[in-house]
Amino acid sequence: MNVHLMNGMGALRVSIRGLGLLVALATAQVSWAQRPVAAAPQTLMLGIGLPDSSVQAHAVRDFAARVEQYSNGLFRIELHAGGKLGNDLTMVKALQDGSLAMTAPDSSTLATLEKGFSAINYPFTFLNEHEADQVLDGEWGGRLLEQLPRHGLVGLAYWENGFRQMTNSRRPLTSTNDFQGLRMRTMQNPMLEESFRRLGFDAVPMPFPQVFDALQSQTVDGQENPLSTIVSSRFYEVQKYLTLSRHVYSAHVLLISRKVWDNMNPATQEAFRRAALEAREVERRMSRAASDAALAELKAKGMQVTSIPQADAERIRHRLRDVLDRYNKDIGLRTMIDLYVQLGQMRTASSPKAEPGAPAR
Ligand code: TK8
């Protein structure tokens, strides 16, 4: 600088310009380094069993966009749908050993780790989606998710799978008598297997990605899933009869491997949680809209639709009493009572017969 000063004003001007450039470069370097976009984004693979056209896949794409945004481009989620990376059980195992980052299985398949997850799928427990949302997003559902880290998993949110409905290729189901001997694929959850068996079905537990082929080859006669899945997995191509039974409510749990999670800083973890919860709202809206549209579509595809009368729902509950009683003990009476107390409170609060100012609220 002194040299320049001694050399007169011209040199000084140059030097200041040079200095300015240096400062500019330094600033650019700092902000470049601070801007996370500069770092190569880390890509996390997320596998699901449902196809690319499913509500769940759309929701994962929504989640992915939010993760990218909230992590300032540090993380990318790469969706692998259609069971390409495995089924619900094998993908959960892959998360546990850290060979896969994320998945979103049906919560029933987590019962092998935490028995309480089975309670979500008790037949005819939730009467509508609102009840399920309140229970799962509240303390009861939260306590189940809190058990997951000791199994190497972190549960970010409950998403909706939906009320399950039956399809089969043999006959219309109009009452529980029609269940007898029907070979029915079930999810891989002992409570569900036993319940279906108790109702007279020949229950065949099977991973979801094998279901279409099994229906097509008539290895099984039927399966049960939400209407949106019956459409997106094209089950209507190989199933003639649809029974609107709403026999079980089903949730997906968005999971991340604890091995991945523990390496994230708190800001990134927060970004993932926020993205998961926001995408949950989008997913549930899509799921409910898809379910309405799906029934019309399935009728248009030529499926014959019947429904199970309300009285049969009561009969089914009654027939399952001793099966479920055993699972109540497995799950723990405290968990079951908490669930029914919350359901009872919600029903009292929403019942038109409730006294104004009744304490249940
Ligand atoms: C997809 C499954 C599916 C579930 C089933 O991997 O297995 O029937 O309803 O959604 O999670």
Side-chain angles (χ1 to χ4, degrees), residues 151-277:
H151 300 289
L153 306 167
V154 174
L156 295 177
Y158 290 97
W159 286 4
E160 175 157 283
N161 192 358
F163 278 102
R164 304 180 75 85
Q165 322 270 16
M166 302 175 192
T167 66
N168 83 91
S169 56
R170 300 284 293 274
R171 52 181 178 260
L173 308 181
T174 53
S175 83
T176 50
N177 296 334
D178 300 324
F179 298 168
Q180 307 313 307
L182 211 61
R183 279 177 73 75
M184 189 67 150
R185 176 269 175 174
T186 72
M187 291 194 283
Q188 294 170 288
N189 170 294
M191 181 279 298
L192 289 171
E193 285 171 49
E194 269 189 70
S195 294
F196 277 92
R197 218 159 271 145
R198 174 58 56 92
L199 297 176
F201 289 103
D202 183 358
V204 185
M206 183 187 293
F208 183 83
Q210 298 170 17
V211 175
F212 185 92
D213 289 346
L215 294 171
Q216 191 169 42
S217 63
Q218 301 193 352
T219 308
V220 292
D221 302 316
Q223 65 83 42
E224 38 88 55
N225 253 294
L227 294 176
S228 58
T229 295
I230 298 169
V231 170
S232 64
S233 291
R234 309 176 75 85
F235 290 156
Y236 56 82
E237 288 180 359
V238 287
Q239 299 277 271
K240 177 80 184 152
Y241 305 102
L242 169 65
T243 310
L244 300 176
S245 48
R246 285 171 68 90
H247 52 283
V248 160
Y249 180 81
S250 202
H252 283 126
V253 185
L254 185 63
L255 296 174
I256 185 162
S257 162
R258 180 152 179 210
K259 293 202 165 138
V260 175
W261 185 256
D262 286 350
N263 279 324
M264 289 175 165
N265 63 39
T268 303
Q269 292 179 344
E270 182 45 38
F272 271 70
R273 281 199 191 282
R274 181 176 167 199
L277 293 180

Side-chain angles (χ1 to χ4, degrees), residues 41 44 46 49 104 248:
L44 301 183
L46 190 160
V248 160

Side-chain angles (χ1 to χ4, degrees), residues 119 122-126 140 317 324 328 333-347:
Y122 269 28
F124 301 110
T125 291
F126 296 117
W140 192 89
R317 274 201 182 108
L324 297 183
N328 287 340
L333 289 180
R334 177 64 204 273
T335 302
M336 294 313 304
I337 289 168
D338 283 351
L339 171 62
Y340 287 114
V341 165
Q342 193 185 342
L343 287 171
Q345 282 174 339
M346 277 191 289
R347 286 168 195 171

